[in-house]
């Protein structure tokens, strides 16, 4: 028994139910995932808050200690009491200052120590800091530097700052003591979170009142953060917690609403689908009934057409069925009439068959043999008499010409074979006449075009390789001609396709750079032959990289195709458009002058500017920069023309993009661009030929300038003739054309190789300049680390210099780069400080050891009070942030004297030493370098 299939309504309902169940399950699963992710995000955000607050509190505490110590040291009452040796006066001043100390510093006490570090006076609940500094820590004190220490004192964490008393006799020190736990405890009160500070082992140092309630709650997220202050400092574990009960309630309410809405929508969809499907299926039921009536031998005579109702998908098959039945009814009538005619035709066919068989038996056996041979060959063969009438045609020829053998024999060959020249324009006629009567030998094979029925599939004539030779009898007399040909269409099409691919861009269909340069050469030659001048336009799309980066290269390719079609339509045959590569196009106008070419270029620029590219949900607006150069008899070559057009195009980009720039040979800006482009080639050649040279310049201590242990590595380039080029002549071009990373890699590699091979002391320091492009370049950090490992250079010998502008413009990349190398032990110097954005706020976000003050403020500091004030403020800020300061362009004794008075740490310039080759550096032994 045949199993009954379910109805279409049942299948649709079950499918909708299954899809609804899957959707509800996905909603539940997504809700659980979203809850987990929300909690993780809340915990991560909490940890970021704690991390930022810990860093800010510690910085605030350290800054408060410094400010307190410096204010106390500057206090006239304190200074007087110290000189006079009045201990009671010192105590009073310190207690008063301690009472007014900022809360962020969390001060617990202050002591005054004499030059031997023995206590002279103290104030506060806990005035004693860490034990007396060891030899390593005392070294900065000997050089009038501050020393900051942290330790556990009597089971209590303390942080102390020991600072010398500047300019007071007798000499001494101020020790400021703070409670880091009290400073960190303010995080919980200010941030409104539950907080617990403990030792890593779990010993509690502090916790907020609501800590226990939130820490044990179920609707709570918490995090743990370790805050090591540095080497040999106490480590605190800071735990924070916050409630997420409201978040959980919102997530549950959202989940319930989505489930209810999805269920309601599903039920409504099933109901609407079933009702609509039942109404749509009614005409198909009528069609089913009509088909059953026809199939049950009721015939088609009584057929009643079915009403065609409903949408086209249902009405069209019904109308087709009605037409089919009517057609069958007509065919039945015609078939009955043809049956009688077939009987008469069979009698006539039998008689014709008997005559044909008798004729075939009478044919010559030799003719049968030659015909069989000709039919077996793969070439088409046609034999004619001397008048050009066909006597024989083999099957291959009938297939190619589309004329059956019975129809071809006896007809002139020109009526059966339509041969044309290779271009398909001129027909070859009177073939046999030229071969037989005019005695023209055409036995050499030629390529032509053949029109015939075989081309009906593609509508094009076929290529054939053909030859026509005379046919002679035994006596040598010409008795006819033989045409032999075979189909070579595929080979010819392949040749044409290869020729097209060699001269066209496969993506846009435009001619490629190779063909464009050929046509440019032809236009240049025409201009030299006084056949009219022309114009070359170089088009470079603006913002094309944004499309590739946002939507991928598939979208970029589609954009190029659409733009190519649009530009071709816009030009309407007025010029030759080509794709030169990437997003660059070339336009050749001939004959044409600059005014007309500029108008055409402006028209194309406006068309591209108004063009909107739509890809999925994105809509892009792009522009184009166009360089225009004239082609005349004075133009030297195609390469120079292309270079000039490219230069003008880049000038258009420099002047704001989306504009047209006409090349003028005497334009100073274009000449400068030409010079920069020349430097690009020269830089690449110098890198290949290893013609870069490392120089260095001394950086000396402002107090004790000898011996020198700190150097800045500089760069020079040697020309082919040995001339040494300064970096200012070629580095701007390197920055513009993104060659700076390659130069920096060369400098790092050769500098590290020199350091490794010269056995430099452990305390020598070499500063290497880096470009901002290198900081943002992918893989440059890995290159530097790899070279350090390769040459086994100590990180304490390395200091990397970045300019203030480069660091701030790539702040995130610069900070990540610095932190990675500082973790290895390298140091950093911020170069040209004050020349760029000059924001002191950025200094707190950059892990910098040296602050190099821009030489523009240093050169005339001895005669410019404004510059003297600026340098003083930079020096104070650098010292407040724990940085050493370096003054550049120090050129005479007057400048040196002012800088020493201000307190700048290091000096660099012609006043001490000029740059010299790195190979000339000789390091003295036995003296430690400053700046550690």
């Amino acid at each position: 028994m045949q199993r009954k299939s379910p109805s279409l309504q049942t299948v649709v309902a079950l499918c909708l139910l299954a899809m609804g169940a899957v959707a509800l399950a996905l909603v539940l699963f997504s809700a659980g995932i979203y809850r987990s992710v929300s909690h993780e995000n809340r915990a991560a955000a909490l940890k970021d808050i704690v991390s930022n607050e810990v860093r800010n509190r510690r910085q605030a505490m350290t800054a408060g200690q410094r400010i307190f110590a410096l204010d106390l040291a500057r206090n006239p009452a304190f200074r007087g009491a110290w000189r006079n040796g009045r201990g009671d006066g010192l105590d009073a001043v310190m207690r008063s200052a301690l009472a007014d100390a900022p809360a962020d510093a969390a001060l617990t006490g202050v002591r005054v120590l004499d030059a031997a570090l023995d206590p002279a006076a103290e104030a506060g609940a806990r005035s004693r800091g860490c034990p007396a500094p060891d030899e390593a820590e005392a070294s900065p004190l000997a050089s009038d530097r501050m020393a900051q220490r942290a330790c556990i004192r009597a089971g209590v964490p303390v942080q102390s700052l020991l600072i010398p008393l500047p300019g007071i006799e007798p000499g001494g020190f101020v020790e400021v003591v703070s409670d880091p736990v009290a400073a960190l405890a303010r995080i919980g009160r200010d941030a409104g979170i539950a907080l617990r500070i403990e030792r890593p082992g779990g010993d509690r140092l502090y916790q907020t009142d609501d800590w226990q309630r939130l820490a044990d709650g179920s609707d709570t997220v918490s995090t743990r953060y370790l805050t090591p202050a540095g080497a040999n400092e106490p480590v605190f574990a800071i735990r924070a917690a916050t409630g997420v009960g409201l978040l959980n309630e919102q997530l549950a309410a959202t989940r319930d609403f989505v489930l209810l809405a999805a269920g309601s929508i599903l039920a409504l969809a099933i109901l609407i689908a079933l009702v609509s499907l039942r109404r749509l299926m009614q005409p198909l039921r009528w069609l089913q009934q009509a088909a059953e009536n026809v199939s049950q031998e009721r015939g088609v005579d009584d057929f009643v057409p079915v009403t065609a109702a409903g949408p086209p998908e249902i009405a069209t098959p019904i109308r087709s069925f009605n037409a089919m039945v009517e057609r069958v009814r007509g065919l039945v009538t015609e078939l009955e009439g043809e049956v009688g005619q077939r009987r008469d035709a069979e009698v006539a066919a039998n008689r014709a068959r008997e005559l044909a068989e008798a004729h075939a038996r009478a044919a010559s056996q030799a003719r049968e043999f030659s015909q069989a041979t000709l039919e077996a060959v793969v070439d088409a063969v046609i034999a004619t008499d001397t008048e050009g009438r066909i006597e024989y045609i083999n099957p291959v020829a009938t297939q190619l010409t589309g004329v059956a053998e019975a129809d071809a024999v006896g007809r002139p060959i020109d009526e059966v074979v339509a041969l044309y020249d290779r271009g398909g324009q001129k027909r070859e006629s009177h073939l046999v006449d030229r071969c037989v009567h005019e005695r023209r030998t055409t036995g050499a094979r030629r390529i032509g075009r053949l029109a015939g029925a075989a081309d009906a599939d593609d509508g094009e004539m076929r290529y054939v390789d053909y030859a026509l030779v005379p046919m002679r009898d035994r006596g040598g007399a010409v008795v006819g001609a033989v045409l032999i040909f075979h189909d070579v269409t595929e080979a010819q099409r392949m040749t044409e396709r290869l020729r097209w691919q060699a001269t066209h861009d496969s993506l846009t269909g435009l001619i490629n750079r190779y063909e464009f340069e050929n046509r440019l050469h032809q236009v240049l030659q025409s201009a030299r032959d006084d056949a009219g001048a022309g114009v070359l336009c170089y088009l470079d799309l603006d913002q094309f990289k944004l499309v590739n980066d946002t939507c991928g290269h598939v979208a970029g390719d589609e954009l190029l195709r659409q733009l190519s079609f649009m530009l071709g339509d816009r030009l309407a045959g007025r010029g030759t458009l080509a794709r030169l590569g990437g997003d660059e196009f070339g336009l050749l106008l001939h004959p044409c002058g600059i005014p007309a070419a500029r108008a055409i270029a402006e028209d194309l620029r406006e068309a591209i500017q108004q063009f909107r590219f739509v890809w999925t949900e994105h809509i892009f607006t792009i522009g184009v920069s166009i360089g225009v150069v004239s082609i005349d008899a004075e133009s030297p070559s195609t390469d120079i023309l292309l270079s000039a057009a490219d230069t003008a195009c880049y000038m258009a980009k420099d002047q704001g993009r989306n504009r047209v720039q006409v090349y003028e040979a005497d334009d100073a800006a274009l000449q400068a661009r030409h010079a920069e482009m020349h430097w690009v080639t020269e830089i690449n050649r110098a890198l290949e030929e290893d013609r870069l040279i490392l120089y260095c310049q001394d950086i000396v201590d402002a107090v004790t300038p000898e011996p020198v242990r700190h150097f800045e590595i500089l760069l020079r380039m040697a020309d082919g003739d040995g001339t040494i080029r300064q970096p200012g002549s070629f580095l701007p071009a390197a920055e513009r054309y993104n060659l700076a990373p390659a130069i920096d890699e060369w400098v790092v590699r050769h500098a590290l190789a020199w350091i490794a091979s010269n056995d430099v002391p452990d305390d020598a320091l070499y500063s290497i300049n880096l470009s901002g492009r290198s900081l943002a370049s992918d893989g440059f950090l890995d290159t530097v680390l790899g070279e350090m490992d390769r040459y086994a250079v100590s990180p304490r010998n390395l200091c990397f210099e970045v300019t203030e502008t480069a660091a701030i413009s790539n702040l995130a990349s610069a900070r990540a780069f610095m932190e990675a190398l500082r973790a290895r032990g390298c140091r950093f110097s911020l170069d040209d400080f004050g020349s760029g954005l000059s924001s002191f706020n950025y200094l707190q976000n950059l892990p910098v050891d040296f602050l190099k003050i821009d030489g523009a403020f240093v050169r005339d500091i001895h005669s410019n009070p404004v510059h003297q004030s600026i340098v003083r403020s930079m020096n104070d800020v650098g010292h407040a942030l724990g940085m050493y300061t370096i003054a550049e362009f120090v050129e005479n004794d007057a400048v040196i004297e002012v800088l020493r008075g201000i307190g700048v740490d290091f000096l660099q310039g012609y006043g001490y030493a000029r740059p010299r080759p790195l190979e000339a550096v000789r390091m003295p032994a036995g003296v430690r370098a400053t700046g550690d």
Side-chain angles (χ1 to χ4, degrees):
M1 181 177 180
Q2 185 177 5
R3 184 176 180 182
K4 185 177 181 181
S5 300
S7 64
L8 182 59
Q9 292 91 332
T10 303
V11 172
V12 171
L14 291 176
C15 290
L16 290 175
L17 285 173
M19 293 170 60
V22 171
L24 294 178
L26 288 175
V27 170
L28 292 174
F29 180 72
S30 300
I33 293 178
Y34 187 70
R35 176 187 173 96
S36 300
V37 171
S38 299
H39 287 186
E40 292 175 0
N41 290 340
R42 183 65 64 87
L46 184 62
K47 187 170 183 178
D48 290 340
I49 292 174
V50 172
S51 173
N52 292 332
E53 287 293 329
V54 166
R55 182 169 58 255
N56 293 338
R57 297 300 176 186
R58 292 185 69 90
Q59 292 177 351
M61 181 177 67
T62 301
Q65 286 182 315
R66 292 176 178 171
I67 294 172
F68 178 84
L70 293 175
D71 290 342
L72 182 62
R74 297 188 182 106
N75 191 317
F78 174 85
R79 297 169 71 93
W82 173 257
R83 291 194 187 94
N84 299 326
R86 297 202 317 271
D88 55 343
L90 291 174
D91 292 342
V93 173
M94 289 192 294
R95 282 194 299 272
S96 175
L98 196 61
D100 297 333
D104 289 342
L107 300 181
T108 60
V110 59
R111 292 197 305 169
V112 180
L113 309 177
D114 58 18
L117 298 180
D118 294 328
E122 63 181 27
R126 294 199 302 274
S127 59
R128 295 192 62 190
C130 295
D134 56 20
E135 181 180 354
E137 293 174 328
S139 178
L141 296 178
S143 303
D144 291 340
R145 302 283 190 272
M146 296 182 289
Q148 183 173 339
R149 297 169 296 163
C151 62
I152 303 296
R153 190 79 174 186
V156 178
V158 297
Q159 177 173 312
S160 66
L161 177 69
L162 193 62
I163 182 171
L165 294 172
I168 304 179
E169 295 295 337
F173 303 88
V174 175
E175 182 180 28
V176 184
V177 183
S178 297
D179 183 2
V181 174
L184 297 177
R186 296 175 61 87
I187 297 175
R189 295 191 297 270
D190 296 345
I193 57 177
L195 192 72
R196 176 185 174 95
I197 304 175
E198 59 188 26
R199 299 277 179 79
D203 296 337
R204 184 184 71 180
L205 297 176
Y206 170 81
Q207 73 178 27
T208 58
D209 297 335
D210 57 347
W211 166 258
Q212 200 62 40
R213 174 178 58 82
L214 286 176
D216 298 336
S218 58
D219 291 339
T220 304
V221 295
S222 61
T223 185
R224 187 169 184 265
Y225 177 76
L226 291 175
T227 170
N232 303 321
E233 294 187 13
V235 179
F236 304 127
I238 300 178
R239 300 175 61 190
T242 185
V244 292
L246 180 59
L247 174 63
N248 291 340
E249 292 175 3
Q250 293 174 345
L251 292 176
T254 302
R255 179 199 60 204
D256 296 338
F257 173 79
V258 171
L259 289 174
L260 179 60
S264 302
I265 293 173
L266 176 62
L268 182 61
I270 293 175
L271 179 61
I272 293 174
L274 293 178
V275 172
S276 302
L277 189 60
R278 182 174 182 84
R279 295 186 61 185
L280 292 174
M281 291 294 292
Q282 184 60 41
L284 292 180
R285 295 191 187 93
W286 297 337
L287 179 61
Q288 178 185 5
Q289 184 62 41
E292 290 175 354
N293 293 338
V294 173
S295 65
Q296 292 174 358
E297 297 183 355
R298 296 184 182 180
V300 296
D301 295 334
D302 298 331
F303 171 73
V304 177
V306 182
T307 302
E313 293 84 357
I314 296 177
T316 300
I318 293 176
R319 285 194 291 268
S320 300
F321 179 80
N322 293 337
M324 180 189 68
V325 175
E326 293 295 333
R327 177 63 176 164
V328 170
R329 181 184 295 171
L331 290 176
V332 169
T333 302
E334 294 175 1
L335 185 59
E336 291 175 349
E338 290 178 357
V339 169
Q341 297 176 3
R342 184 64 61 85
R343 294 190 185 97
D344 298 336
E346 287 178 355
V347 175
N350 290 333
R351 294 176 181 175
R353 188 181 301 112
E354 293 173 356
L355 293 175
E357 291 173 354
H359 179 73
R361 285 191 299 269
S364 161
Q365 187 174 4
R367 184 178 179 85
E368 290 177 356
F369 176 77
S370 61
Q371 181 174 348
T373 303
L374 292 174
E375 291 177 354
V377 299
V378 295
D379 286 351
V381 179
I382 300 177
T384 71
D385 59 14
T386 57
E387 299 299 326
R389 295 187 179 275
I390 297 176
E391 294 182 341
Y392 171 77
I393 181 170
N394 72 346
V396 178
T398 60
Q399 180 183 4
L400 291 178
T401 60
V403 181
E405 179 182 5
D407 297 332
V409 174
R411 293 174 58 188
I413 189 172
D414 288 341
E415 294 181 3
V416 175
V417 180
L419 270 175
Y420 292 81
D421 61 2
R422 186 190 291 265
Q425 303 297 323
K426 180 180 179 182
R427 181 166 179 171
E428 300 286 354
S429 59
H430 306 293
L431 295 173
V432 177
D433 288 343
R434 286 183 291 170
C435 177
V436 176
H437 299 294
E438 299 179 14
R439 306 297 184 185
R440 293 185 181 178
T441 301
T442 57
R445 306 194 71 89
R446 300 167 60 186
I447 301 297
R449 303 288 287 273
L450 175 68
D455 303 301
D457 294 337
D458 52 20
E460 296 181 358
M461 292 189 291
R462 294 184 177 275
Y463 287 96
V464 291
D465 182 358
Y466 72 94
L468 184 63
V469 295
M471 185 169 54
R472 303 176 186 274
D473 59 11
R474 292 182 179 181
V478 177
V479 294
V482 177
L483 176 64
I484 305 172
F485 57 95
H486 68 274
D487 190 353
V488 292
T489 302
E490 289 302 321
Q492 287 295 316
R493 289 178 178 172
M494 179 63 71
T495 301
E496 293 177 355
R497 184 159 51 249
L498 292 175
R499 185 182 297 113
W500 187 91
Q501 291 175 352
T503 58
H504 288 74
D505 175 53
S506 59
L507 177 64
T508 62
L510 301 174
I511 63 173
N512 58 19
R513 189 183 192 96
Y514 172 78
E515 180 64 16
F516 185 77
E517 290 181 356
N518 288 338
R519 300 191 185 185
L520 175 60
H521 179 75
Q522 295 173 8
V523 173
L524 178 58
Q525 194 61 43
S526 298
R528 291 173 177 173
D529 295 340
D530 295 331
V535 174
L536 169 63
C537 300
Y538 197 98
L539 293 77
D540 192 344
L541 299 181
D542 301 328
Q543 305 300 328
F544 175 76
K545 186 175 183 296
L546 177 63
V547 179
N548 274 344
D549 294 344
T550 304
C551 302
H553 290 281
V554 175
D557 290 346
E558 180 60 26
L559 171 59
L560 291 176
R561 277 192 291 267
Q562 293 185 18
L563 278 178
S564 299
F565 297 150
M566 185 269 288
L567 293 176
D569 293 340
R570 197 82 175 188
L571 286 171
R574 290 181 292 174
T576 301
L577 183 66
R579 183 187 179 202
L580 304 182
D583 60 344
E584 299 171 348
F585 295 85
L587 176 60
L588 195 58
L589 303 172
H590 179 262
C592 186
I594 288 295
R598 188 182 188 105
I600 294 174
E602 288 288 352
D603 180 54
L604 296 182
R605 185 192 63 77
E606 292 178 2
I608 293 176
Q609 184 179 13
Q610 296 171 4
F611 177 75
R612 298 294 181 269
F613 177 63
V614 180
W615 186 265
T616 62
E617 71 276 9
H618 299 284
I619 300 177
F620 296 95
T621 301
I622 61 175
V624 63
S625 299
I626 304 177
V628 179
V629 61
S630 176
I631 306 172
D632 52 31
E634 303 300 325
S635 300
S637 66
T638 57
D639 291 339
I640 294 179
L641 284 172
L642 286 170
S643 176
D646 182 47
T647 301
C649 180
Y650 271 95
M651 284 297 299
K653 285 185 176 292
D654 285 346
Q655 295 177 8
R657 298 178 179 268
N658 197 31
R659 57 184 293 128
V660 177
Q661 176 70 41
V662 178
Y663 181 84
E664 298 290 346
D666 56 353
D667 191 315
L670 288 172
Q671 290 178 354
R673 171 66 68 180
H674 256 310
E676 285 190 349
M677 295 178 68
H678 161 73
W679 276 117
V680 171
T681 303
E682 189 64 24
I683 291 171
N684 285 321
R685 186 179 297 117
L687 288 171
E688 294 174 359
E689 300 173 358
D690 205 22
R691 288 194 280 105
L692 297 179
I693 305 174
L694 294 182
Y695 272 55
C696 71
Q697 188 176 24
D698 299 351
I699 300 176
V700 301
D701 191 293
V703 179
T704 57
E706 294 294 343
V708 178
R709 290 294 186 105
H710 192 171
F711 306 90
E712 179 181 1
I713 294 179
L714 306 172
L715 185 65
R716 302 289 188 269
M717 178 191 294
D719 283 348
D721 58 0
T723 303
I724 303 300
R725 296 290 185 180
Q726 296 293 324
S729 61
F730 61 88
L731 285 184
E735 287 283 351
R736 180 184 297 274
Y737 293 99
N738 201 28
L739 293 176
I743 294 178
D744 287 349
E745 289 182 10
W746 187 96
V747 172
V748 169
R749 181 168 58 255
H750 285 74
L752 296 186
W754 184 90
I755 294 172
S757 63
N758 279 270
D759 192 25
V760 301
D762 293 338
D763 54 356
L765 189 62
Y766 295 88
S767 296
I768 301 175
N769 290 278
L770 296 180
S771 165
R773 290 184 178 271
S774 298
L775 297 181
S777 174
D778 294 337
F780 184 74
L781 174 60
D782 295 335
T783 300
V784 174
L785 295 176
E787 295 296 334
M788 290 174 60
D789 295 337
R790 173 186 175 187
Y791 292 107
V793 174
S794 172
R796 295 187 61 79
N797 290 130
L798 299 179
C799 177
F800 293 96
E801 286 195 15
V802 295
T803 64
E804 174 199 8
T805 304
I808 295 176
S809 61
N810 304 278
L811 186 59
S813 301
R815 183 175 180 83
F817 185 89
M818 291 179 176
E819 290 178 345
L821 288 178
R822 278 179 63 87
R824 285 285 192 98
C826 299
R827 282 168 282 185
F828 277 87
S829 177
L830 189 63
D831 197 8
D832 294 340
F833 184 75
S835 64
L837 302 178
S838 301
S839 175
F840 292 149
N841 292 331
Y842 287 108
L843 291 178
Q844 301 183 26
N845 296 317
L846 293 173
V848 175
D849 302 276
F850 299 93
L851 190 67
K852 298 191 73 172
I853 302 172
D854 183 54
F857 302 108
V858 176
R859 276 197 188 94
D860 60 348
I861 192 173
H862 60 291
S863 60
N864 191 324
V866 175
H867 285 179
Q868 185 173 345
S869 299
I870 293 174
V871 171
R872 187 183 303 277
S873 65
M874 293 180 184
N875 186 67
D876 291 343
V877 170
H879 285 172
L881 294 175
M883 303 175 186
Y884 292 95
T885 54
I886 303 174
E888 299 180 298
F889 293 89
V890 178
E891 298 179 350
N892 53 59
D893 293 339
V895 172
I896 294 174
E897 193 64 29
V898 174
L899 292 173
R900 285 177 175 173
I902 292 175
V904 175
D905 300 305
F906 297 96
L907 307 177
Q908 179 182 1
Y910 287 1
Y912 283 105
R914 289 178 175 271
R916 61 190 186 281
L918 184 61
E919 296 293 340
V921 174
R922 295 293 182 267
M923 293 294 300
V927 180
R928 293 186 56 82
T930 56
D932 289 348

